[in-house]
Amino acid sequence: MITLLPFEETDFDRFKSWIKSPEELLQFAGPYFSFPITDVQLKKYIDDPKRRPYKIISTETNNVIGHCELNFERAIPRLSRILIADNKERNKGFGRKTINAMLTLLFIDDIYDKADLNVYAWNSNAIKCYEGAGFEINEGVTTETPIGNGIWKGLNMQVTKSSWIAKTQ
């Protein structure tokens, strides 16, 4: 199991230690931050009233294993910056548990009926995780982000409260 707790200034150093390259930062955070990540960027991030960043804690070990954010910049809330940072904790279902915890905050504890997220098209593991929680690719919405000598195609995925509930039954 996992629990989500607010991301705070005391978490900054751990967070920065997880991101080793511009590519890792872009994969995890999109173009929101610039590499290397700084305390100034993170302070601005946690002070933004349209963002709710969380640390992901394994309830089995009580260790912080990742990060996620609920983003309220648009009419539809967005799940953003989802990272299971500890490689030893990947492929154990923590990503799916994190998605479900985030959707519980939106759909059960709050009033929303739909949520979305963005994911890079090459990230098949993440796409499978999101599909497992009921997300579907929004075919009409894609992005292109330059990285190094290439371009990463971004996909938008959406889920409704009813389809999420159907997946969790």
Side-chain angles (χ1 to χ4, degrees), residues 19-162:
I19 310 299
K20 308 281 192 237
S21 70
E23 293 81 8
E24 284 183 359
L25 181 60
L26 184 63
Q27 176 184 354
F28 156 64
Y32 182 79
F33 294 115
S34 60
F35 187 83
I37 239 172
T38 64
D39 286 353
V40 171
Q41 291 178 70
L42 291 172
K43 180 70 172 130
K44 179 181 172 191
Y45 175 57
I46 66 170
D47 288 343
D48 186 337
K50 294 182 179 179
R51 298 175 188 280
R52 287 191 218 155
Y54 297 95
K55 55 190 162 196
I56 305 165
I57 299 174
S58 165
T59 56
E60 296 166 15
T61 64
N62 212 29
N63 291 332
V64 176
I65 60 167
H67 181 88
C68 63
E69 170 197 324
L70 292 174
N71 180 316
F72 298 93
E73 292 181 310
R74 296 159 199 79
I76 299 172
R78 177 165 287 170
L79 283 63
S80 300
R81 293 169 192 80
I82 302 163
L83 174 67
I84 304 302
D86 186 340
N87 284 335
K88 297 184 307 274
E89 301 300 344
R90 291 187 180 162
N91 300 312
K92 292 183 177 181
F94 288 122
R96 177 82 175 270
K97 289 174 180 155
T98 298
I99 299 303
N100 284 324
M102 296 173 80
L103 292 174
T104 296
L105 290 172
L106 291 175
F107 294 155
I108 306 302
D109 298 346
D110 219 322
I111 58 167
Y112 297 97
D113 291 318
K114 184 186 281 189
D116 80 346
L117 56 78
N118 289 327
V119 61
Y120 290 110
W122 55 263
N123 195 344
S124 58
N125 285 343
I127 292 168
K128 286 178 195 168
C129 175
Y130 304 144
E131 287 174 337
F135 280 87
E136 295 179 355
I137 293 173
N138 183 356
E139 297 291 342
V141 181
T142 60
T143 58
E144 291 186 346
T145 305
I147 180 73
N149 293 326
I151 294 179
W152 287 357
K153 179 181 178 184
L155 304 174
N156 179 264
M157 298 182 77
Q158 293 185 345
V159 66
T160 62
K161 182 177 183 175
S162 59

